[in-house]
Amino acid sequence: MATVEIIMGSKSDLEVALPAVNVLKDFGVDASVKVMSAHRTPQEVTDFAAKAKDNGVKIIIAVAGKAAHLAGFIAANTTLPVIGLPVKSSFMDGMDSLLSTVMMPNGVPVATVAVNGGQNAGLLAIQMLALGDEALSAKLAAYKQKMRDDVIQSNKEIKL
């Protein structure tokens, strides 16, 4: 298994997951994507979550829309960090997904990023991994410096 597993509730969530995949790959972090549903394949999700740490997974990103129980369901079955990535749906403009992901009971934490915030989900996973990886930490510092430099350059280019 990959270092970061991205679990989607439906294959239709792939568009939201891809920015996470891309940033992880850009940083050289091994990641993979799977479809598993908390509602339609609960046993498979339970088995995955229970065995993930033994299989070398370090962080799980759970991508789900609407009821969005996937992140909490996974978090209830593992001690690994779980990042919830809520998906904007046609119903309630994604607010349902956000609230379903972020409102976890005590003892079942899920870090949650913005609705459709795939890039930030990937970056948060990278920040967690960088705590124990100096090379990854250096790449992250360079990434943040480039963002800073880009903003400063944009400011210089403004002519009124």
Side-chain angles (χ1 to χ4, degrees):
M1 286 194 180
T3 302
V4 177
E5 287 286 345
I6 300 171
I7 308 301
M8 304 181 306
S10 168
K11 70 179 182 180
S12 64
D13 298 331
L14 184 59
E15 185 177 321
V16 175
L18 281 176
V21 173
N22 292 338
V23 74
L24 288 161
K25 300 248 183 221
D26 287 349
F27 274 81
V29 174
D30 185 32
S32 71
V33 179
K34 293 178 174 42
V35 175
M36 285 190 250
S37 169
H39 299 107
R40 293 180 218 94
T41 59
Q43 190 59 56
E44 287 79 359
V45 175
T46 301
D47 292 345
F48 161 78
K51 297 173 185 170
K53 186 174 182 178
D54 290 339
N55 288 328
V57 177
K58 302 251 190 255
I59 298 167
I60 300 167
I61 297 174
V63 186
K66 297 184 182 169
H69 292 128
L70 187 59
F73 192 88
I74 290 172
N77 289 286
T78 188
T79 59
L80 293 173
V82 176
I83 300 170
L85 173 51
V87 175
K88 181 178 179 179
S89 63
S90 58
F91 183 71
M92 294 181 69
D93 211 32
M95 184 62 76
D96 52 335
S97 306
L98 175 62
L99 294 175
S100 295
T101 304
V102 78
M103 295 303 296
M104 292 295 106
N106 288 335
V108 187
V110 171
T112 306
V113 297
V115 174
N116 285 10
Q119 183 178 18
N120 276 352
L123 286 169
L124 182 55
I126 290 164
Q127 287 177 315
M128 291 174 178
L129 293 169
L131 290 170
D133 183 330
E134 286 301 319
L136 191 56
S137 182
K139 286 182 186 178
L140 188 58
Y143 177 86
K144 296 267 186 168
Q145 183 63 46
K146 182 179 180 329
M147 286 194 315
R148 179 182 181 276
D149 294 345
D150 288 349
V151 170
I152 290 170
Q153 183 59 39
S154 293
N155 186 51
K156 289 177 181 176
E157 292 171 0
I158 293 176
K159 306 283 189 227
L160 298 178

